[in-house]
Amino acid sequence: MMITDSSIRIPLKGAEEGEVTVVASQIRGYGVWDGGLAQGGALLAGWEGPAPSLLFLWVTDAQTNLMQRELSDIQASSATSGPPCSFLLLVLKEQLQELQVALLASILDMKEYREGHSSPSSIGLTSPLAWTDGLVLLHSCPPPVDQHLLRLLGQSTEKSSQVRRSQRNKTSTSGSSGLQQLPTRLIQYPAAPSKGRITVTKEDLACLDAGEFLNDVIIDFYLKYLLLEGVGGSVAKRSHVFSSFFYKQLSRRRAAGEDNTPSVPDRHMRHQRVKTWTRHVDIFTKDFLFVPVNQEAHWYLVVVCFPGLDEVQREDFWSRTGGAERAAGPRAFSLRSQQPPECTKQGCQRDTVLKRPCILVMDSLKLSYHENVCRLLRDYLQVEWEVRRATPRLFTPDSMRSSSCRVPQQDNSSDCGLYLLQYVESFLQNPVVQFDLPVCLDNWFSRQQVRQKREEIRSLVLRLHKSQQHDGEN
């Protein structure tokens, strides 16, 4: 099976070069299930060893009809007998590990796939679909297809009735508006008439459930909130946060229609795609640029430090932070079990500090290859400088060093987005002031802070939702 950002191509057993294609935008929902739940059914009868993972796809009627025609061209007529079915159940070769499930889910949560997720539904379920949600959907199939699929999954008539009753109870207790329609808009942030608003929906809120993978909307919303009002202070004013789409747009390959002439350097072509993103801000007047990166379905943070600085400098730490502020720092942490990192504002005991133009990488798993990211950002800075300053300046690995920081690490496969957000929040609250590389931030924050982050963000969205509703009524 081949999964790309535009489609899923599924080979057919027993057919030479036969396959069916599911278009990304035609997927209404998906679920990744533990096959052990279906071991009592015909689907895995005779399966030896640990039960494999199951991939469940719910597709549109248009995709269903197209697949039925494709099947009729490839296989015997019996393959398309009976009423059409909008569900695909794929048995994978083995049980996916937790990280693999997260990676698969992150692909199926890409923008191209989510176009189908937002289609109206009378059932009102959202992806990823739980096992019980899938059974509810199978009940909607016309007979005898519904009973056939349920038997494959080991669901007896009695079990099916229990699921139906459970779903009816769920609908009645959650209210008619909860399940009768797919995600609706919760908030726009910042509120009108501010520009650059981010819309957060109920679907986006669902990715804050335990074990879910944060999507780009939640990442962008919380980063903007942190910068505008969540932390405040001088560090926020000296910082710029890029959208999660910035690096994605900067790094993508040349598309059809883009200038392919060899005379146009690659860095200029890439800069052309994002040149309007900073038309209202001179990034070289900022001390810190925060760039969220999603690489191979894993979130991490890149911080460009002092892009306007062309050499290493030393400065008086007191003149930058103020004596009272510096003196209060260690006492503020005196009740904690660990002291803040020495290179940060609240842990620094120096009279002078070193600052340098550099690129800091903060990765909670260290699974990704970072050098290409740093190279593309240097190329971007070089062209942006030429455009802004109308003078040449080279951003090289020597003049702008890159370094992976020692930062708190995640202990599961789903919290990388939360760690990215916590890195930014901690930086704004307690920034790095001493730029000896590599930067060591092991005690920057506790793991408990990250574990509370999902509920903190959820509460924030719901609080803003209530406030915006109240303002709308007035």
Side-chain angles (χ1 to χ4, degrees):
M1 180 172 62
M2 177 67 72
I3 304 178
T4 70
D5 58 2
S6 61
S7 66
I8 299 177
R9 298 200 300 273
I10 306 167
L12 296 178
K13 187 176 180 179
E16 291 186 13
E17 300 183 3
E19 68 176 20
V20 292
T21 301
V22 181
V23 178
S25 60
Q26 300 301 304
I27 295 181
R28 300 179 68 182
Y30 76 90
V32 185
W33 303 334
D34 183 344
L37 296 169
Q39 279 192 313
L43 185 67
L44 298 179
W47 186 277
E48 297 181 1
S53 292
L54 305 177
L55 176 59
F56 177 80
L57 299 177
W58 172 23
V59 301
T60 63
D61 292 341
Q63 181 71 71
T64 299
N65 294 331
L66 177 60
M67 290 178 59
Q68 195 170 31
R69 288 197 298 270
E70 289 178 333
L71 286 169
S72 65
D73 293 338
I74 297 173
Q75 295 185 331
S77 59
S78 60
T80 56
S81 61
C85 177
S86 299
F87 307 110
L88 289 80
L89 191 58
L90 306 176
V91 181
L92 305 186
K93 288 184 177 181
E94 58 188 17
Q95 181 72 48
L96 297 182
Q97 300 300 313
E98 188 177 5
L99 180 58
Q100 293 173 311
V101 173
L103 294 176
L104 176 58
S106 69
I107 297 173
L108 298 178
D109 282 334
M110 291 173 62
K111 178 183 177 182
E112 294 80 1
Y113 285 87
R114 287 178 53 197
E115 290 178 9
H117 294 187
S118 60
S119 303
S121 163
S122 60
I123 297 178
L125 302 174
T126 59
S127 293
L129 299 165
W131 169 259
T132 52
D133 293 336
L135 298 182
V136 169
L137 288 172
L138 295 182
H139 281 298
S140 67
C141 291
V145 176
D146 57 345
Q147 291 305 311
H148 170 65
L149 292 174
L150 290 167
R151 281 195 297 271
L152 286 177
L153 296 176
Q155 297 299 303
S156 63
T157 304
E158 181 181 354
K159 287 183 180 179
S160 300
S161 299
Q162 291 174 353
V163 170
R164 278 184 171 140
R165 286 196 299 271
S166 172
Q167 182 62 20
R168 282 199 298 269
N169 293 337
K170 183 179 178 183
T171 303
S172 63
T173 56
S174 62
S176 58
S177 62
L179 290 176
Q180 292 307 311
Q181 45 186 301
L182 276 174
T184 55
R185 189 180 75 185
L186 285 173
I187 63 169
Q188 283 193 318
Y189 186 84
S194 301
K195 295 182 179 180
R197 295 192 298 275
I198 297 171
T199 299
V200 180
T201 69
K202 292 180 183 177
E203 183 182 39
D204 300 319
L205 204 63
C207 77
L208 291 169
D209 292 343
E212 297 297 328
F213 198 77
L214 262 60
N215 66 8
D216 51 270
V217 174
I218 295 297
I219 294 287
D220 286 342
F221 156 71
Y222 195 66
L223 289 179
K224 179 160 285 194
Y225 172 79
L226 287 175
L227 201 67
L228 294 182
E229 55 185 302
V231 176
S234 62
V235 184
K237 294 177 182 177
R238 293 185 282 118
S239 301
H240 177 73
V241 174
F242 283 99
S243 161
S244 61
F245 289 104
F246 170 78
Y247 182 74
K248 182 178 181 181
Q249 184 74 348
L250 183 73
S251 60
R252 69 172 173 81
R253 296 179 180 178
R254 293 194 186 216
E258 284 192 301
D259 197 335
N260 291 315
T261 57
S263 60
V264 179
D266 186 67
R267 61 177 177 273
H268 285 276
M269 181 271 298
R270 294 182 186 277
H271 180 272
Q272 189 73 16
R273 300 173 186 159
V274 295
K275 66 177 184 179
T276 61
W277 293 40
T278 54
R279 62 182 181 273
H280 299 307
V281 60
D282 183 353
I283 60 175
F284 298 106
T285 64
K286 301 293 185 180
D287 284 353
F288 307 112
L289 311 177
F290 297 100
V291 184
V293 175
N294 191 307
Q295 193 174 32
E296 297 179 357
H298 172 60
W299 288 109
Y300 62 91
L301 176 68
V302 179
V303 187
V304 180
C305 304
F306 311 109
L309 198 63
D310 57 4
E311 61 182 9
V312 177
Q313 291 185 0
R314 285 195 175 275
E315 67 175 27
D316 185 352
F317 183 48
W318 283 74
S319 67
R320 189 171 182 80
T321 64
E325 222 177 345
R326 179 187 174 192
R331 285 202 298 270
F333 279 75
S334 62
L335 297 179
R336 299 188 181 185
S337 59
Q338 295 177 316
Q339 290 294 312
E342 292 182 2
C343 63
T344 62
K345 176 180 175 181
Q346 293 170 335
C348 185
Q349 301 294 320
R350 300 168 180 262
D351 293 325
T352 62
V353 291
L354 178 76
K355 67 176 188 177
R356 57 159 30 102
C358 59
I359 300 176
L360 304 181
V361 179
M362 301 182 185
D363 189 337
S364 59
L365 275 183
K366 297 182 180 178
L367 291 180
S368 304
Y369 176 68
H370 304 130
E371 271 313 303
N372 189 55
V373 177
C374 297
R375 178 183 63 81
L376 292 181
L377 288 175
R378 289 191 195 96
D379 286 349
Y380 164 76
L381 292 171
Q382 183 165 318
V383 181
E384 181 74 2
W385 180 276
E386 292 173 3
V387 171
R388 284 279 179 180
R389 300 289 192 263
T391 58
R393 177 185 167 187
L394 294 178
F395 286 79
T396 68
D398 291 328
S399 64
M400 175 151 293
R401 291 175 57 186
S402 61
S403 178
S404 291
C405 301
R406 285 175 50 183
V407 287
Q409 298 288 286
Q410 67 189 89
D411 60 350
N412 57 32
S413 61
S414 57
D415 283 353
C416 54
L418 296 172
Y419 274 80
L420 182 156
L421 297 178
Q422 188 60 56
Y423 293 149
V424 176
E425 186 166 351
S426 294
F427 202 109
L428 294 175
Q429 292 174 331
N430 182 26
V432 176
V433 294
Q434 172 66 18
F435 287 84
D436 277 330
L437 303 181
V439 174
C440 299
L441 298 163
D442 304 76
N443 300 330
W444 215 7
F445 54 83
S446 67
R447 188 167 283 163
Q448 185 60 31
Q449 283 182 265
V450 182
R451 289 172 178 162
Q452 297 170 350
K453 202 118 223 106
R454 292 181 186 269
E455 195 53 43
E456 287 177 8
I457 299 174
R458 186 197 310 277
S459 298
L460 171 63
V461 172
L462 295 178
R463 186 171 71 249
L464 292 173
H465 171 63
K466 185 176 181 180
S467 174
Q468 290 184 11
Q469 269 191 324
H470 181 266
D471 292 342
E473 292 171 358
N474 294 336

